[in-house]
Amino acid sequence: MDLRHDLLEVAAKYELNPQQTRLLLDEAQLGAEPDGLDAKLPRVVAALAAALGGLGVVMWIAANWEQIGRPSQFALLQGLVLCAGLGAALRPSMRPPLALLAQLGVGALFACFGQTYQTGADPWQLFALWSVLSLPLCWGARSDLLWTPWVLITASAIALWIHTYSGYRWYVTPALLRTHLTGWFASLLMVGLVCPQGHRVTGAGMWSFRLAAALTASAITTTALSGLFDGKALPAFHFGLLLLAACAAWLGTRKGFDVFALSTTALGLITLVVCRVANTLGASLWHDDWFGGLLLITITATALLAGSVTGILKISRRYNTVPEAEGEAA
C-alpha cells in the first residue's frame, strides 16, 4: 500500500488546500527520517567500504600480477591483514568492518601463496584454512558481518572436499556414500556453530544461521536426489530423507524454531517425496497414462505444500513469532 497516495486521495476528497495537504503529510511523518538511521547508516557504509576495499586490493593485485614482484604482493597483503587486525583490536566501534577486511585479506593471502608457489594443495584446503583462521576474527567481532561470509567459505570448503574425495564427481554412488555423509554432518556442525542458541558465545545472528541452513538443506536434497535416480545409491536418498525429517522435527520445537530454516527444510522434504512418487510410478505408467501420472504428482506436490505451509503458520502463531528476517548485518 502507498500511504502517500492514500493521503493525497483523502486530501482531494475533502478538498484540502495545499497548506492543509502539507500538514496532513507532515502528521503522517512521510518525510521523517527512518528510526535508527543515524546509527545504522554509518555501520552499513563502513561494511560496504570494508568489502569493496578488500576486494579492490585483491583485484588490483590480480590485474597487475606481472608488474608487482612477489615480495611486494605478499607485503601488501600481509600489511592489509596486519593493519586491519590491529584496527579491529584497537577500535571497538569499527571492529566488524575492519575484521571483515582482515578476513578478506587472509583469503587473498592464501590464494596468492598457492598461485605463486604452486604447492599442489587441493582447493578445499585453501578454503578450510581460510575458514579456520577466520574463526578468531568472527568470535572477536561477534557480528553477522563476519559469520555470514564465514558460512560461505566453510560451505565451499565442504563442497570442494566432497568433490575431491568423490573422484571429482558431484553425484553419489554406493562407494562414495560415506564421503557424502561426512560432508552432510560437517554442514550440520556448521549450522550448529551459528545457531541462535549459541549467540551468547559466538555472536552469530539470523543471517548466518539461515544461510547455513539453506545451503545445508540444498546440499542434502540434491545429493539424495542423485542417489534416488541413480538407483544403486538408494540409501543416500533414505539417509537424506531421515536427516531432513529430523532437522524439521527439531526446528518445529519452541527451542529450535526458525520459520525460514523450517520452510527451507520442508521444501527439501517435499522435493524428495514428490520425486520419490515420480520415480515409483516408473516409465511404463508415463507411456500408458502420462496425464494420470502427471495429475497424481501435481496433487501430491500441492497437498504436501499446502500442508507444510499450514503447519508452519500454526507453529509460528503458537510461538508468537513473526516470519521476518532478523539479525544485524554489522
Side-chain angles (χ1 to χ4, degrees):
M1 294 179 65
D2 188 350
L3 181 58
R4 181 183 294 274
H5 181 266
D6 293 340
L7 291 176
L8 291 176
E9 285 187 347
V10 171
K13 178 180 179 180
Y14 293 99
E15 299 180 352
L16 301 182
N17 59 43
Q19 183 178 1
Q20 291 172 326
T21 302
R22 186 167 56 254
L23 289 174
L24 179 63
L25 296 176
D26 290 341
E27 284 295 325
Q29 297 184 347
L30 293 179
E33 183 180 281
D35 295 336
L37 182 63
D38 56 342
K40 295 179 180 178
L41 185 59
R43 290 187 295 174
V44 173
V45 173
L48 289 175
L52 293 175
L55 293 175
V57 171
V58 174
M59 299 302 176
W60 183 77
I61 292 177
N64 298 275
W65 185 263
E66 299 296 334
Q67 288 75 23
I68 304 176
R70 292 179 183 177
S72 299
Q73 294 171 4
F74 284 105
L76 184 60
L77 291 173
Q78 290 172 347
L80 174 67
V81 175
L82 179 62
C83 293
L86 288 175
L90 300 176
R91 293 290 302 274
S93 61
M94 295 295 294
R95 185 163 295 159
L98 289 175
L100 175 62
L101 185 59
Q103 187 182 48
L104 293 173
V106 170
L109 188 58
F110 274 115
C112 184
F113 185 86
Q115 187 69 23
T116 301
Y117 295 106
Q118 298 294 325
T119 59
D122 293 319
W124 73 267
Q125 294 175 324
L126 165 65
F127 284 91
L129 285 173
W130 190 4
S131 172
V132 171
L133 293 179
S134 295
L135 277 176
L137 291 171
C138 295
W139 265 308
R142 296 181 57 81
S143 170
D144 251 5
L145 187 62
L146 274 295
W147 283 112
T148 301
W150 180 84
V151 167
L152 290 174
I153 296 167
T154 306
S156 300
I158 295 171
L160 290 171
W161 179 85
I162 294 174
H163 188 242
T164 300
Y165 285 91
S166 297
Y168 300 99
R169 293 173 292 185
W170 290 111
Y171 58 90
V172 63
T173 63
L176 301 175
L177 181 58
R178 183 179 298 178
T179 300
H180 285 273
L181 289 178
T182 303
W184 288 0
F185 285 108
S187 298
L188 290 174
L189 288 176
M190 174 185 68
V191 176
L193 185 59
V194 296
C195 68
Q197 289 73 26
H199 173 74
R200 292 185 178 180
V201 178
T202 63
M206 284 294 105
W207 287 104
S208 56
F209 170 69
R210 291 175 176 178
L211 177 63
L215 292 175
T216 301
S218 300
I220 294 175
T221 302
T222 53
T223 306
L225 285 178
S226 70
L228 172 65
F229 293 114
D230 180 78
K232 298 179 180 179
L234 198 58
F237 172 81
H238 295 146
F239 276 121
L241 193 65
L242 290 174
L243 199 55
L244 287 179
C247 293
W250 162 251
L251 292 169
T253 63
R254 182 179 295 274
K255 186 177 182 180
F257 178 73
D258 180 81
V259 67
F260 180 87
L262 181 57
S263 300
T264 304
T265 306
L267 181 61
L269 279 170
I270 292 171
T271 303
L272 292 182
V273 172
V274 171
C275 290
R276 178 59 173 171
V277 171
N279 184 259
T280 303
L281 291 177
S284 59
L285 181 59
W286 292 103
H287 292 300
D288 298 338
D289 186 11
W290 66 268
F291 181 79
L294 183 62
L295 182 62
L296 178 60
I297 293 175
T298 303
I299 292 174
T300 303
T302 304
L304 290 173
L305 185 60
S308 63
V309 170
T310 303
I312 292 172
L313 287 177
K314 285 183 178 180
I315 295 173
S316 180
R317 295 191 188 100
R318 183 190 308 165
Y319 299 152
N320 295 320
T321 60
V322 179
E324 60 181 8
E326 300 171 356
E328 296 181 354

